[in-house]
């Protein structure tokens, strides 16, 4: 387990995951930014966040996509969640960030709206600050070419 100093992050900042990313092999693992304990302040929560290896899901559901995360945003709700002050209280430990963007790596058998290589924006209640994420295809929106990951 490797500590991560996220002190430079603030509400609405985009975290560039590509710089630290190494693609996990099928059935392997990936890294994620995790909140492991409730903190008294947002600053303490950010400092306490850590990077953990998590097991990679080997198979997708028929209507799911696997996305290589290139950016994830840390917003005010996540700062509140780290302090147990938000109405939604995720079970510890939890992967930070509720939205992100990246490149589709793999699609389920019934997915026709995206294919590997497509750039997407996605939202999920948790779990976007990681090297890859598996989501229902309905959680993804095509990212316009005019927008970058930074």
């Amino acid at each position: 387990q490797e500590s991560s100093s996220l002190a430079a992050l603030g509400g609405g900042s985009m975290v560039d995951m590509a710089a630290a990313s190494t693609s996990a092999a099928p059935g392997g693992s990936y890294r994620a930014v995790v909140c492991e304990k409730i903190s008294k302040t947002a600053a303490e929560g950010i400092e306490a966040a850590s990077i953990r290896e998590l097991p990679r899901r080997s198979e997708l559901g028929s209507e799911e996509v696997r996305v290589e995360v290139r950016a994830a945003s840390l917003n005010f709700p996540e700062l509140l969640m780290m302090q147990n002050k938000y109405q939604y209280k995720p079970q510890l430990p939890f992967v930070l960030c509720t939205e992100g963007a990246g490149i589709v790596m793999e699609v389920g058998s019934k997915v026709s709206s995206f294919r590997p290589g497509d750039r997407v924006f996605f939202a999920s209640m948790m779990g976007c600050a990681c090297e890859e994420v598996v989501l229902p295809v309905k959680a993804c929106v095509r990212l316009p070419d005019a927008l970058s990951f930074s």
Side-chain angles (χ1 to χ4, degrees), residues 2 4 6 12 17 20 23 27 44 48 54 59 65 77 80 87-88 91 98 103 108 116 118 126 138 143 147:
E2 179 182 342
S4 169
L6 299 176
M17 299 298 285
S23 294
E44 285 178 16
L54 298 176
E59 294 187 27
V65 295
L80 292 175
Q87 61 263 28
Y88 172 70
Q91 183 177 359
T98 57
I103 299 173
D118 286 345
M126 292 287 15
K138 291 180 180 182
L143 188 67
L147 297 178

Side-chain angles (χ1 to χ4, degrees), residues 38-71:
I38 299 300
S39 300
K40 291 181 182 180
T41 67
E44 285 178 16
I46 291 169
E47 282 300 321
S50 63
I51 296 176
R52 288 177 82 183
E53 289 281 331
L54 298 176
R56 184 176 200 248
R57 246 177 79 188
S58 59
E59 294 187 27
L60 297 182
S62 63
E63 296 184 13
E64 292 181 321
V65 295
R66 186 184 314 272
V67 178
E68 177 187 346
V69 179
R70 295 292 184 92

Side-chain angles (χ1 to χ4, degrees), residues 91-115:
Q91 183 177 359
L92 293 171
F94 62 90
V95 177
L96 289 168
C97 300
T98 57
E99 57 191 30
I103 299 173
V104 174
M105 300 166 59
E106 184 181 358
V107 298
S109 62
K110 292 185 179 177
V111 175
S112 60
S113 53
F114 296 107
R115 61 180 185 225

